[in-house]
Amino acid sequence: MPAASLLPLFGSAAGPGALGGPAGGGGGGGGGGAGGGGRKAAGPGAFRLTEKFVLLLVFSAFITLCFGAIFFLPDSSKLLSGVFFHSAALQPPPPPPGGQPRAPPQPGGGPAAGGSGSLERIRADHERALREAKETLQKLPEEIRRDIRQEKEKLLQDARGRKEAGAPGLPQRLFRQPVGAVGQEPADPAVRQRRAKIKEMMKHAWDNYKRYAWGLNELKPISKQGHSSNLFGNIQGATIVDALDTLYIMEMKEEFKEAKEWVEKNLDFNVNAEISVFEVNIRFVGGLLSAYYLSGEEVFRKKAVELGEKLLPAFNTPTGIPWALLNIKSGIGRNWPWASGGSSILAEFGTLHLEFVHLSHLSGNPVFAEKVMNIRKVLNRLDKPEGLYPNYLNPSSGQWGQHHVSIGGLGDSFYEYLLKAWLMSDKTDEEGKKMYYDAVQAIETHLIRKSSGGLTYIAEWKGGLLEHKMGHLTCFAGGMFALGADGAPNDKTGHHIELGAEIARTCHESYDRTSMKLGPEAFRFDGGVEAIATRQNEKYYILRPEVIETYMYMWRLTHDPKYRQWGWEAVEALEKHCRVDGGYSGIRDVYNNHESHDDVQQSFFLSETLKYLYLLFSEDDLLPFEHWVFNTEAHPLPVLHKDDGNKEENQK
């Protein structure tokens, strides 16, 4: 409203002496009137300029106060609705969707009554807002700030309560602990004693991590400080998340509780950093999923799905084959610069299937499973050289990179996940089954060889030429062949069990032929040597689990006591050469008689090596294979039995 139009509102109400005392008196200026008598009744024209200015200031302050009360004080929304939008409150509500008839009005509740009630509510809200505005204006600034803080805290508590009731966006889920989350004590006292020793090793590793590196990714046990790898970007707590399920199955309840509390309060994925999609998936997503399935703690499900959602932009490539590296804040991905012209790596993009299927299962969001099923579509459209899968695939062109095939590093867990996807589906994933057994047939034909000394090994294939080298990572394949034996085509079950046993023997020889009885990173079968590392950069041992993993599978599937004996030899070697005051460390040269430690306690030592040893000396009822599969970081995930969905639906 223009300022000039405001003044008559006040001037018209003024009578004689309204501003200057009695009529006719007037110090200072009654000369505005006609003749020498008293001044005329005051009007807008009778005010001095300064008086008009004062009036304008007073009225402006009043208007400011009113609008401040409306917009900035508590319950302002109610005041706005009452003052400015009261006409809307009198409008009849819209008809219900679907053309359903409206409920009949209550007696005495016709339009007039409804309008009157609305006006009463508006008036009451208006008066209450004005009272609160007046009370607020009387408060000191410190009191106002305190009230604001209290209101914020209340909102945060309400939000936290809603999260505890069920993670936002996640469906309600009735938790049913799968079979075998807890097992019986071993019946044999000697086995029980050995298992107790492995639990003590876990406690030594965990307690030192807690003492010297709590909340960081890994431990440097010699330096007694934290160690961090760029694989995880700025995400922290890899050892905590990796160890959750090991703590649970070993019944280390206090340690599990403190790990859970750390996850709840400190595990943060809102970081501006580039991470390895593969490593974060198998360690963090896998660790959180298994912790949820074992314990039922909702925080693990929520965190797993939250992290899974942050990994989805990695699939934004022309083919849907994900990038190896992803900035989880910006969503920008890329591949390792050394990987065959910017290719994605088979073992990395092929090792997402188990976790992403479970993310869809727990979140109700099919996008996770759709992403990994698309990877299969891309692979099935491609020709495979000799039926083999090269380690490199370009995510833009959808074509293979260089033809390098390995069942060890760069390829290993792709094959593992084909088999386990079929098993995890309760043997309904026929596509995964066919891909696995076709691949095994090609591997047997082109890669598996026997040395002159009778040791079976898996060579690497480079453009049609074999490199007679086998990595420690490849030793997982013994357990894989045995695990898949039951579904092998053409009555080859016994053959696959035997193949697993031969790989286990070769890998045991690689341990037994070192000074420390621990296996090297890679060993060769050429130049007159067998199962021995010949290059200095292949002689190290970084607490890897793959050989012990195969021992565990072979024990479960055959109950041949030699596998427990071989596992105990590994325990003795770990205790003698890798145990230090501050935890467990890798070794730089397993052929040397004197230890040279690398000063890193890898998170997978707690997640895989010690878990597989513990299971090797446990009864078969702990995490039985009919009900669980292990991801490539040894995190147990339940088999999704065909009748699980119906059971959940019925229990709801």
Side-chain angles (χ1 to χ4, degrees):
M1 184 184 300
S5 64
L6 296 174
L7 294 177
L9 297 174
F10 286 76
S12 62
L19 290 174
R39 198 164 61 184
K40 291 181 181 178
F47 293 147
R48 293 181 184 181
L49 183 61
T50 54
E51 292 169 339
K52 292 178 180 179
F53 184 68
V54 169
L55 270 175
L56 183 60
L57 285 177
V58 170
F59 188 70
S60 298
F62 177 75
I63 293 297
T64 302
L65 176 63
C66 289
F67 275 85
I70 290 171
F71 287 102
F72 300 111
L73 297 177
D75 280 320
S76 59
S77 60
K78 296 178 182 176
L79 180 59
L80 280 169
S81 64
V83 175
F84 294 109
F85 306 114
H86 61 276
S87 60
L90 301 178
Q91 299 297 322
Q100 296 298 318
R102 198 181 306 283
Q106 298 297 321
S116 174
S118 298
L119 288 171
E120 287 298 324
R121 286 195 303 274
I122 292 167
R123 188 177 295 111
D125 288 344
H126 179 69
E127 291 173 354
R128 185 173 67 254
L130 288 176
R131 282 197 308 272
E132 291 178 356
K134 184 177 179 181
E135 291 170 1
T136 301
L137 287 173
Q138 292 173 350
K139 291 181 180 179
L140 295 173
E142 292 78 7
E143 293 176 315
I144 295 173
R145 282 193 289 270
R146 184 196 63 209
D147 291 346
I148 292 172
R149 282 196 303 271
Q150 290 175 347
E151 187 68 20
K152 285 182 178 178
E153 289 172 3
K154 183 176 182 299
L155 289 171
L156 287 172
Q157 289 174 356
D158 291 345
R160 196 174 297 119
R162 287 193 297 272
K163 288 180 181 178
E164 290 171 356
L170 293 183
Q172 292 288 332
R173 187 176 189 277
L174 181 64
F175 174 72
R176 292 183 298 112
Q177 191 177 59
V179 175
V182 178
Q184 299 177 355
E185 282 282 315
D188 186 332
V191 174
R192 192 161 60 241
Q193 184 178 7
R194 288 184 170 185
R195 193 175 81 150
K197 171 60 184 174
I198 295 160
K199 181 175 178 178
E200 185 277 329
M201 294 169 69
M202 177 67 180
K203 184 165 178 57
H204 180 68
W206 177 263
D207 286 349
N208 280 286
Y209 166 77
K210 181 183 174 184
R211 184 176 298 115
Y212 301 117
W214 183 248
L216 301 176
N217 280 322
E218 290 169 321
L219 167 68
K220 294 172 77 70
I222 307 293
S223 308
K224 296 182 178 178
Q225 61 186 15
H227 169 74
S228 199
S229 165
N230 59 7
L231 295 173
F232 313 119
N234 293 336
I235 300 175
Q236 296 296 323
T239 292
I240 295 174
V241 177
D242 239 358
L244 281 164
D245 48 19
T246 308
L247 294 171
Y248 190 92
I249 67 169
M250 290 187 180
E251 299 185 61
M252 298 173 67
K253 296 179 181 179
E254 285 304 311
E255 291 84 353
F256 181 83
K257 180 182 177 183
E258 64 192 2
K260 177 231 172 187
E261 289 173 353
W262 185 92
V263 168
E264 201 164 29
K265 296 176 182 176
N266 300 291
L267 184 58
D268 182 16
F269 306 128
N270 296 311
V271 296
N272 184 11
E274 193 174 60
I275 54 92
S276 163
V277 174
F278 164 76
E279 293 288 352
V280 166
N281 174 66
I282 64 172
R283 301 196 202 200
F284 283 89
V285 177
L288 291 165
L289 287 171
S290 64
Y292 169 72
Y293 281 118
L294 289 167
S295 71
E297 294 287 352
E298 189 65 26
V299 63
F300 298 132
R301 178 170 76 128
K302 173 183 170 294
K303 291 285 187 181
V305 174
E306 177 190 349
L307 180 54
E309 289 172 346
K310 289 186 177 294
L311 297 181
L312 287 175
F315 293 85
N316 294 338
T317 66
T319 59
I321 298 295
W323 300 112
L325 303 170
L326 177 73
N327 184 303
I328 56 176
K329 181 179 177 68
S330 68
I332 296 173
R334 68 183 179 98
N335 277 333
W336 299 104
W338 49 263
S340 186
S343 291
S344 298
I345 296 170
L346 183 68
E348 295 193 336
F349 67 76
T351 310
L352 303 167
H353 195 101
L354 305 185
E355 297 84 358
F356 273 54
V357 167
H358 270 287
L359 287 175
S360 282
H361 180 68
L362 292 182
S363 69
N365 186 351
V367 68
F368 300 105
E370 289 168 358
K371 296 294 186 185
V372 292
M373 292 307 293
N374 177 67
I375 292 173
R376 285 192 186 171
K377 291 179 183 177
V378 174
L379 292 175
N380 285 332
R381 287 197 298 264
L382 291 169
D383 291 329
K384 288 82 179 174
E386 305 294 344
L388 299 167
Y389 289 84
N391 291 340
Y392 301 106
L393 179 63
N394 190 295
S396 298
S397 67
Q399 298 301 313
W400 298 118
Q402 66 188 64
H403 285 187
H404 175 198
V405 177
S406 169
I407 313 305
L410 307 180
D412 48 7
S413 46
F414 164 72
Y415 305 96
E416 173 190 1
Y417 271 40
L418 291 177
L419 170 64
K420 291 180 177 178
W422 174 59
L423 296 174
M424 194 178 78
S425 72
D426 204 9
K427 300 183 178 180
T428 61
D429 181 1
E430 291 296 327
E431 181 182 53
K433 176 183 180 182
K434 183 178 188 308
M435 292 174 72
Y436 170 72
Y437 288 109
D438 286 351
V440 170
Q441 182 60 51
I443 290 166
E444 277 207 78
T445 302
H446 300 287
L447 302 183
I448 293 182
R449 296 290 184 266
K450 191 179 286 282
S451 72
S452 58
L455 295 178
T456 299
Y457 63 97
I458 308 175
E460 298 189 5
W461 191 83
K462 295 185 176 179
L465 299 177
L466 287 183
E467 182 179 13
H468 298 272
K469 177 187 81 168
M470 185 168 172
H472 193 292
L473 290 167
T474 318
C475 285
F476 89 96
M480 179 182 73
F481 292 141
L483 181 64
D486 189 50
N490 303 322
D491 298 323
K492 287 188 176 181
T493 296
H495 171 67
H496 280 226
I497 287 282
E498 183 59 30
L499 184 57
E502 290 179 5
I503 296 297
R505 175 172 168 253
T506 298
C507 292
H508 174 258
E509 285 298 314
S510 77
Y511 272 52
D512 199 48
R513 297 181 184 191
T514 70
S515 299
M516 296 185 182
K517 306 303 178 185
L518 293 168
E521 182 68 6
F523 44 94
R524 295 181 178 265
F525 296 86
D526 54 19
V529 301
E530 294 190 4
I532 293 175
T534 58
R535 303 181 185 182
Q536 191 59 41
N537 63 357
E538 296 173 347
K539 295 181 178 181
Y540 61 88
Y541 172 71
I542 57 172
L543 308 174
R544 285 203 186 276
E546 290 78 20
V547 174
I548 294 165
E549 175 184 356
T550 281
Y551 295 165
M552 188 276 292
Y553 279 107
M554 294 307 302
W555 162 256
R556 283 278 184 101
L557 295 166
T558 69
H559 280 196
D560 186 329
K562 72 183 177 189
Y563 297 113
R564 278 184 165 173
Q565 182 55 39
W566 290 353
W568 189 248
E569 290 172 7
V571 168
E572 292 176 325
L574 286 165
E575 288 293 278
K576 182 176 180 181
H577 300 292
C578 298
R579 183 168 181 146
V580 295
D581 288 343
Y584 289 87
S585 170
I587 299 290
R588 298 184 192 279
D589 185 348
V590 292
Y591 296 93
N592 199 318
N593 290 320
H594 303 286
E595 295 101 351
S596 175
H597 294 107
D598 66 9
D599 196 19
V600 180
Q601 180 176 281
Q602 306 278 351
S603 77
F604 57 68
F605 179 68
L606 291 79
S607 171
E608 299 186 73
T609 309
L610 292 177
K611 184 187 286 116
Y612 285 135
L613 282 169
Y614 190 79
L615 291 172
L616 177 61
F617 291 96
S618 295
E619 298 296 322
D620 294 354
D621 65 342
L622 180 59
L623 303 177
F625 294 165
E626 314 91 77
H627 297 283
W628 297 88
V629 296
F630 295 89
N631 88 336
T632 200
E633 190 78 2
H635 294 306
L637 300 170
V639 171
L640 298 174
H641 292 292
K642 293 186 285 286
D643 57 347
D644 280 355
N646 296 331
K647 286 181 182 177
E648 282 191 21
E649 199 61 38
N650 293 336
Q651 292 189 17
K652 286 178 184 177

